[in-house]
Amino acid sequence: LPQIKAQTASEYVPDTKFYKVEAILRPWRIPKVSAALLKMGIRGVTVSDVRGFGAQGGSAERHAGSEFSEDKFVAKVKIEIVVSKDQVDPIIDLIIEEAKTGEIGDGKIFVLPVSDIIRVRTGERGEEAERMSGGRHDMSNQN
Ligand code: ATP
Ligand code: GLN
């Protein structure tokens, strides 16, 4: 099986403790992606229905061999996951593995630095707020 490895992001991204991995994906691939995230111990995820355009067109207007769409947006799902630094690359690899078809329109992943996390219920901040019960942190503590 070919290993799909994303290039390391660290050299392009400001160094911080937490990052948001934001992926715009094909809606019908979301069940596969979320099942795999759950399996790796990711418990905090936000999903939204969005519409957009990239290289994949809705209405086809051609410029220099590429299709661009100006008036028809394609339905996508945006998945947002805030995690600690060491979880960023495994999540990127997982998303590629579960969401890639190889066709135009597979989507894109953005990595953003996150300054702080606050859990509303308790007022916890930083690492304590980032940890989710049943998450990877819990999993590794049980060994
Ligand atoms: P509590 O222990 O108080 O329940 P929690 O950390 O489990 O806190 P929730 O209050 O259950 O968080 O989360 C509310 C919503 O926030 C979730 O439904 C999800 O949309 C979003 N969310 C929580 N954590 C994350 C995260 N790490 N990344 C992305 N979205 C998150
Ligand atoms: N890093 C957290 C943990 O290991 C999980 C974060 C998340 O689910 N988004 O508990």
Side-chain angles (χ1 to χ4, degrees), residues 41-44 81-84 87 130-132 135-137:
I42 298 303
R43 298 288 176 262
I81 313 153
V82 175
V83 290
S84 58
Q87 294 176 335
E130 191 271 339
R131 284 175 197 157
M132 309 278 296
R136 288 185 87 200
H137 180 81

Side-chain angles (χ1 to χ4, degrees), residues 109-121:
I109 303 172
F110 307 108
V111 179
L112 297 80
V114 169
S115 306
D116 203 359
I117 303 170
I118 298 99
R119 178 171 279 121
V120 171
R121 180 173 58 84

